[in-house]
Amino acid sequence: MEGMYRFETINDYNLLNNHKTLHPLVSVLDMAQALPRDWDGNKKVRLYFGFYCIFLKEMKECDLRYGRQYYDYQDGTLVFVSPGQIMDVETDGTIYQPKGHVLAFHPDLIHGTTLAQSIDSYNFFGYNSNEALHISDEEREIVMDCFAKIHYELKKGVDKHSKKLIASNIELFLNYCDRFYDRQFITRDNENKGILEKFESLMKQYFHSDAPQKYGLPSVSYFAEELHLSPNYFGDLIKNETGKSAKDHIQDHIIEIAKKKTFNTEKSVSEIAYELGFKYPQHFSRLFKKRVGYSPNEYRMLN
């Protein structure tokens, strides 16, 4: 059987987890206080969140799935959920006690704060399930310290400083998560190099086929999907590994092919542009001049 649970408000989620609502727009939860769960006997349930949720998992009491993929997590893993996301929970049907901690905050909390301006820059809210953040014991202490500061403000009661201080501490926590992900990209260096090699191989395959004429220029999302990664994670991984964006890598590859093609004087610049997947030749000429310093025709004459 499969059930659906919707959490539109912070209070909805607090009620499920046996927590008092100290603030209508934000909560820090210790899942050890939640009542043992059986999801009404359902082995599979779907959870809809109308707010941001960050889970610090302490044990694998169930399987979490987002889309078609399972979360790659163990003790000390952070999982990020943004408003509108649906998470699948799969169990063996037995009652279990949740463990871990959760930071939940509604988008309305951060309106008018600096966090509202930067929230979309935290790409990990758009990562796939197999791209969870694995933290060390030392990093876990930092996470728990951030949670404790937010909880302290909630216990103090709401005053004119509350919103700014809570939002600032959430922003501090998310900035630490950015740093932790940078560390994870480094510690998974061998795995990442394999992705880079596959990315290069996929670009070669694409441009050595008739795909550009059929489908046009490939996007970052296309290669991310081929590598079974989210576009955000893939883009961040490439940038961290090489210092250049995935889009830049694609354009570099296009320009290298274009340079070779310009030596074939039997083909016009427009024909070369269409072969590479450009819808409009002027877009190709503009990119070529920006990257090479000469127009395709000027480059052809120089060489």
Side-chain angles (χ1 to χ4, degrees):
M1 294 178 65
E2 185 175 303
M4 179 73 175
Y5 296 80
R6 295 182 67 89
F7 305 107
E8 300 284 358
T9 68
I10 298 297
N11 188 58
D12 292 339
Y13 198 56
N14 283 340
L15 288 172
L16 172 74
N17 293 295
N18 197 32
H19 278 69
K20 182 181 178 181
T21 299
L22 302 176
H23 192 294
L25 298 178
V26 59
S27 186
V28 177
L29 302 92
D30 179 356
M31 301 307 282
Q33 296 180 31
L35 298 175
R37 242 167 233 178
D38 68 352
W39 298 114
D40 299 322
N42 293 311
K43 290 187 177 181
K44 293 183 180 181
V45 296
R46 311 200 80 197
L47 309 180
Y48 169 89
F49 295 91
F51 43 83
Y52 293 97
C53 245
I54 300 100
F55 302 88
L56 173 58
K57 302 296 294 180
E58 301 289 3
M59 65 171 289
K60 189 173 181 179
E61 70 276 353
C62 58
D63 287 322
L64 301 183
R65 189 160 55 88
Y66 177 52
R68 292 176 294 176
Q69 296 178 316
Y70 289 94
Y71 278 96
D72 167 26
Y73 75 86
Q74 60 245 1
D75 287 358
T77 298
L78 285 169
V79 174
F80 301 84
V81 174
S82 58
Q85 278 188 235
I86 294 176
M87 182 185 290
D88 294 330
V89 178
E90 297 180 2
T91 72
D92 59 6
T94 60
I95 297 174
Y96 67 90
Q97 174 63 53
K99 288 188 179 180
H101 295 79
V102 181
L103 169 63
F105 63 96
H106 198 279
D108 289 350
L109 172 78
I110 63 174
H111 287 332
T113 68
T114 58
L115 179 56
Q117 299 168 17
S118 63
I119 191 70
D120 290 337
S121 69
Y122 298 106
N123 291 333
F124 41 75
F125 279 109
Y127 286 178
N128 279 345
S129 54
N130 61 332
E131 300 155 356
L133 175 58
H134 307 285
I135 57 176
S136 66
D137 290 341
E138 186 180 53
E139 290 167 347
R140 184 187 181 281
E141 289 181 14
I142 294 172
V143 169
M144 292 306 299
D145 182 57
C146 290
F147 283 8
K149 287 176 180 175
I150 296 166
H151 191 57
Y152 170 80
E153 287 301 322
L154 297 178
K155 289 190 297 181
K156 287 278 290 183
V158 179
D159 60 27
K160 65 179 182 179
H161 303 288
S162 299
K163 179 175 179 176
K164 182 178 180 180
L165 287 168
I166 292 170
S168 295
N169 278 295
I170 293 174
E171 188 170 13
L172 175 65
F173 162 65
L174 296 177
N175 286 336
Y176 271 118
C177 291
D178 248 347
R179 171 187 277 178
F180 299 159
Y181 256 117
D182 282 349
R183 186 267 311 152
Q184 181 162 296
F185 285 133
I186 294 168
T187 55
R188 294 188 168 190
D189 192 49
N190 289 335
E191 180 182 320
N192 295 344
K193 280 186 169 58
I195 290 171
L196 279 170
E197 290 168 0
K198 289 176 183 176
F199 177 34
E200 292 291 337
S201 177
L202 283 169
M203 283 195 291
K204 289 177 182 176
Q205 289 175 26
Y206 191 90
F207 287 102
H208 279 85
S209 68
D210 59 355
Q213 294 90 58
K214 283 185 177 179
Y215 310 113
L217 294 170
S219 64
V220 172
S221 296
Y222 166 80
F223 290 112
E225 186 174 344
E226 289 293 306
L227 293 166
H228 308 294
L229 299 170
S230 67
N232 283 353
Y233 187 88
F234 173 63
D236 289 346
L237 186 154
I238 297 299
K239 187 70 179 286
N240 273 273
E241 282 292 306
T242 68
K244 293 198 297 186
S245 69
K247 184 179 179 181
D248 282 337
H249 278 279
I250 296 169
Q251 290 184 350
D252 285 347
H253 194 80
I254 290 169
I255 293 302
E256 287 307 308
I257 297 172
K259 285 179 178 178
K260 294 174 184 175
K261 285 183 176 289
T262 57
F263 288 107
N264 185 350
T265 55
E266 293 179 1
K267 291 184 178 179
S268 67
V269 170
S270 293
E271 287 174 319
I272 294 171
Y274 291 130
E275 282 183 6
L276 291 170
F278 286 87
K279 193 173 181 180
Y280 303 105
Q282 57 267 37
H283 291 174
F284 164 63
S285 296
R286 192 179 302 126
L287 176 65
F288 193 97
K289 185 159 188 176
K290 180 181 177 183
R291 289 303 189 99
V292 181
Y294 300 98
S295 70
N297 276 324
E298 288 170 342
Y299 185 81
R300 175 179 276 171
M301 293 298 293
L302 284 168
N303 290 278

